[in-house]
Amino acid sequence: MDSKKLPTYITKRDVPITRTTLPGMDKLFEWGIIKSGDIVVIKNIDNSEATVIDAKYVDFNGEKLTFNKWGQKVTGWSTIRIYCWAMIKGSDKTLHEMRQEKMLSFES
């Protein structure tokens, strides 16, 4: 077979993949976005109020849970992107939205 007639393919691996590592809960604490004692809720989920203990845990109805376990428990989901769903009570923004705003403020 003539090699000039073979089709040329560009594979996905030829395209560099870049990922942004977003700041975690410890950074949100450091920046003052969230703090111990804050009441957090899961967006659009009733009776999801929990009290922030530290950068890893919340108190939900007397039970100490990680942020993710709390989110999974109140939603019934097997996984959750906690930053996209958790909100400080009284705020209209998710933790992810507040994190994005803070990161943009560094660029200005």
Side-chain angles (χ1 to χ4, degrees):
M1 187 172 197
D2 187 355
S3 64
K4 291 180 183 174
K5 292 184 179 178
L6 291 174
T8 304
Y9 296 101
I10 296 174
T11 62
K12 284 185 179 184
R13 70 176 170 269
D14 294 334
V15 179
I17 297 172
T18 56
R19 286 195 166 87
T20 303
T21 302
L22 296 169
M25 201 65 76
D26 54 342
K27 269 295 186 207
L28 273 63
F29 264 74
E30 184 181 313
W31 292 339
I33 291 173
I34 190 169
K35 62 188 180 307
S36 296
D38 281 350
I39 304 298
V40 287
V41 295
I42 298 295
K43 185 166 88 173
N44 302 326
I45 302 291
D46 293 333
N47 304 314
S48 63
E49 284 186 19
T51 305
V52 176
I53 296 171
D54 57 28
K56 188 170 182 176
Y57 294 100
V58 298
D59 179 312
F60 177 64
N61 295 335
E63 189 177 357
K64 183 179 177 181
L65 300 168
T66 64
F67 275 86
N68 279 327
K69 290 290 183 197
W70 159 65
Q72 290 171 300
K73 184 169 188 149
V74 299
T75 60
W77 303 339
S78 59
T79 62
I80 188 167
R81 293 176 59 197
I82 198 66
Y83 296 94
C84 296
W85 288 94
M87 306 170 78
I88 296 171
K89 188 175 181 184
S91 172
D92 60 347
K93 295 178 183 165
T94 65
L95 294 180
H96 176 67
E97 290 166 327
M98 290 189 281
R99 173 174 64 184
Q100 293 284 77
E101 286 178 1
K102 186 68 173 181
M103 290 168 60
L104 285 173
S105 75
F106 293 138
E107 294 175 12
S108 325

